[in-house]
Amino acid sequence: MSGKKSAAPKPDMTVKQFKETVIKHLRSTLGTYEEKASKQAWNQAIAASVNEFIFDGVSRTRKTHAGKDARAVHYLSLEFLMGRLMSNNLQNLGLYELADKAMKELGFELADILEEEPDMALGNGGLGRLAACFIDSMATLALPAIGYGIHYEHGLFRQEFFKGRQVERPDQWREFGSPWEICRPESEQVVKLYGYVETVYENGGSHKVWHPGRTMRAIPWDIPIVGYGGHNVNVLRLWESRADKFFDWDVFNSGGYVDAYTESVQAETVSKVLYPNDETDAGKELRLIQQYFFSAASIADVMRRFRNAHGNDFSKFTALNALQLNDTHPAIAIPELMRVLVDEEGISWAEAWKMTRETFSYTNHTLLPEALEKWPLRMIQHVLPRHMEIIFEINARFLKDEVETKWPGNDGIKRKLSIIEEANGQMVRMGNLSVVGSHAVNGVAQIHSDLVKKDLFPEMNELWPGKFLNVTNGITPRRWMKACNPRLSTLIEKHVDADWPRYLEKLTALKPLADDSKFQKEYMAVKHANKEDFVKVIKELTDVDVSADAIFDVQIKRLHEYKRQHLNLLYIMALYRRLLINPDYDMHPRVFIFGAKAAPGYYLAKEIIFAINKVAEKVNNDPRIKDKIKVVFLPNYRVSLAEKLIPAADVSQQISLAGKEASGTGNMKLALNGAITLGTLDGANIEIAEEAGEENVVIFGMDVDEVVETREQGYNPGHYYQNNEELKAVLDWLDSDFFTPGEPGLLSAVKHNLVDHDPYMVLADYQSYSDAQSKIDALYRDKKAWARAAIINTASLAKFNSDRSIQDYADTIWNLKPIKAAAK
Ligand SMILES: *Cc1c(COP(=O)(O)O)cnc(C)c1O
């Protein structure tokens, strides 16, 4: 291949200048000097040096957009799972190699210094990481875009294990401040809560006035988001809550010093901590307040910017603004925009509603009933009395003007489509509100989008043909290949253009090399070197010794029954049992690697973690099986750990029950880095199989139709338990004290859940899974066939570039065009 042109600019800086800049910051910004500085100080000095480039980019991009009065998208998300920023920023600015050389000359390994940066874990899992990949792509595509979220003081908890059980510790990502954030006090907003609504009659008409019971301040912190190539630098704006005034002086003067302080503590609680529930709705008032707090502050910010340019002429509002809801978490922004337009701007309801619908679009992320948000009507009435009135009005008009017109006299359909659910003492359905208030609704993989139309909102789809779309998720190849897998990136660059991290389809040039034995060897040597590196990480984190010659079989994702980590566990136990029965049982050695946090209140998920840890302890210390199986559960799975593990993975376990995983993105990261997918026909696995070819993935289990059929016939897990000898044996093992000596029954909860209920049909898919695992073993032993399949995966994953996802959003939902920031 020819042409080594890079999308990254050559920064006009030399190694020597970079060194000087770092030392300048070490002395003048950090207040230390070379001989004394800690690694952390060096890290901060590098960050300060990089910021010289970034801040300039922020200003140039801002000016360009302001000058052009550009249409922009506002991406509202309660979660942004950013991980570390330094390596990505260095890569996207084209500074990485320079910084690496500079630090070497100063006597350090850059990679070592990068370890000092805490993860910015302001999210739970897939949904939050998607938002992070998306803002990277928006900046890379030079789209006028801003991410809006919450500046949580504590992100997702740090996970430790104590005697095999998960313990949650507070996350402290900005204990000593973060070099990447810029406070913007000049853009502070006020957010109102509680109180009552007054109807004011004047001039023969009436309008509503909300008298809030309290107010608080929203302080914006901007995190610059550097696009690949460094031209465009967008921002992620995160809101911090503060007390309206630090002290209520009246209370203070009458001797209530502590009471006055309590007031401020309450306001600061709002942005204190991320809710650690993934795919479940906790229904807590503080969570509703978090949702409203950041939605209201963000809408106010959009309004401020618009009024600065257009005063109170709102004719261009919809032409200039798109608002994207990442799940229903920010759905309260819909009535908030209505409130601002109608109550504050005096725009008619009909006009305001048209504007609102044209502005909003909504991404659905799940079909799981426990994740579909519903708020008690009484709670919204109490916290946001005016919004509850607006929701009633939206609902009344929707049912009368749209549902009644389409289905006259059909109360059943009205009950089903109503934003208000009459059961359980009245609940507000945020999904229905989001669909009704948006012009576009998308699912996140083709099968999921089909199910959203067919099962979740079939009548809404009939009412508004064309409103429901698919945008398959993606991942940024900058973080998930270029930065995390330098060895493979270097190998790739010998054969394809250097701008592949921007144009991932260029990797198709590797396909002809899939059968080239020299390239196969080089490719597998990279994998082996990555595994050697990760062997050390495993040792450090778990004290378990593993061999890089074993198959690295990886399942990394939140712990959830629908993701079926316990299916993986049952198979591990079965393999172990086979080896005990027959020490010569023929298999390639395997290391099963888990990484997963459980929501702190999710009982069974925590029991599954405990069971895996107990089985691991036994298996890893049993000399009879001669190290043929190792099981490691890595504590505190997070973005920075994923970046180390994914380049070393051989097998990617994506084994959710068909129909339950909306898309998945871990599946994409792993396949791009050459892991073979062992998966069900669920989420984006289906599209990965289409792109890579079915012969280069291993598919097992029921598909969605078979799951439905099995359920309709009356699913009976006991049948599988009784009729599969191996399955029965391993389930019964969980009741014994084999893995918990002297304490039988400690692992019984997992067994009884499966034998008695098995809501995610683990037992039904067990045999098929076990057979698929045998296929993996056979394929791995055919070295050439394995290398070929892995290479084809890497070469075929362009579709899952998040740049492609964002281009789809820009074209089909946002109607948004790029505007490249002016050069210096
Ligand atoms: C990508 C990613 C996820 C999502 O993984 P899935 O397998 O798609 O559920 C979760 N957590 C982290 C840290 C990730 O990087």
Side-chain angles (χ1 to χ4, degrees), residues 173-319:
W173 70 279
R174 61 188 302 283
E175 194 175 6
F176 310 109
S178 163
W180 305 117
E181 50 188 24
I182 312 163
C183 191
R184 302 277 191 202
E186 70 275 20
S187 299
E188 174 179 330
Q189 295 292 348
V190 173
V191 175
K192 306 184 250 188
L193 291 171
Y194 303 109
Y196 65 97
V197 180
E198 182 191 5
T199 307
V200 177
Y201 297 92
E202 52 184 23
N203 311 328
S206 69
H207 63 272
K208 301 282 189 165
V209 178
W210 176 20
H211 298 281
R214 62 175 304 170
T215 59
M216 56 184 159
R217 302 160 64 197
I219 313 292
W221 293 84
D222 286 354
I223 316 281
I225 305 298
V226 182
Y228 187 64
H231 293 293
N232 260 67
V233 184
N234 287 348
V235 302
L236 168 60
R237 175 158 283 190
L238 300 175
W239 298 101
E240 182 195 338
S241 65
R242 296 255 183 103
D244 193 17
K245 24 189 176 13
F246 192 73
F247 289 112
D248 180 328
W249 289 102
D250 292 339
V251 181
F252 183 63
N253 290 334
S254 59
Y257 178 90
V258 173
D259 291 342
Y261 190 73
T262 308
E263 173 97 350
S264 84
V265 169
Q266 277 173 13
E268 281 150 26
T269 303
V270 173
S271 60
K272 193 61 122 185
V273 60
L274 166 78
Y275 274 92
N277 303 314
D278 187 64
E279 311 264 358
T280 44
D281 169 23
K284 293 279 191 332
E285 181 169 305
L286 180 59
R287 166 90 172 181
L288 173 65
I289 292 173
Q290 286 186 337
Q291 296 184 346
Y292 179 66
F293 166 75
F294 103 95
S295 298
S298 307
I299 296 268
D301 202 45
V302 172
M303 285 293 172
R304 174 188 56 80
R305 214 172 286 121
F306 183 83
R307 287 194 199 101
N308 284 347
H310 300 273
N312 53 10
D313 172 9
F314 278 81
S315 56
K316 279 189 165 177
F317 184 80
T318 52

Side-chain angles (χ1 to χ4, degrees), residues 81 124-127 129 480 556-558 562-563 637-639 642 646 654 661 663-667 669:
L81 188 51
N124 274 288
L127 173 147
R129 184 53 233 175
W480 295 112
I556 41 174
K557 47 185 72 257
R558 281 300 285 257
Y562 86 80
K563 293 177 182 277
Y637 177 57
R638 62 199 186 284
V639 171
I646 286 168
Q654 307 299 337
E661 187 74 87
S663 164
T665 49
N667 47 4
K669 301 168 198 167

Side-chain angles (χ1 to χ4, degrees), residues 433-473:
L433 175 62
S434 300
V435 175
V436 172
S438 297
H439 68 279
V441 178
N442 74 286
V444 289
Q446 190 61 54
I447 185 179
H448 168 66
S449 297
D450 292 344
L451 293 171
V452 166
K453 280 201 266 190
K454 191 159 94 50
D455 295 343
L456 195 59
F457 298 120
E459 298 84 2
M460 301 272 203
N461 182 44
E462 250 189 88
L463 196 51
W464 298 297
K467 189 190 264 202
F468 289 81
L469 306 166
N470 174 57
V471 180
T472 298
N473 281 168

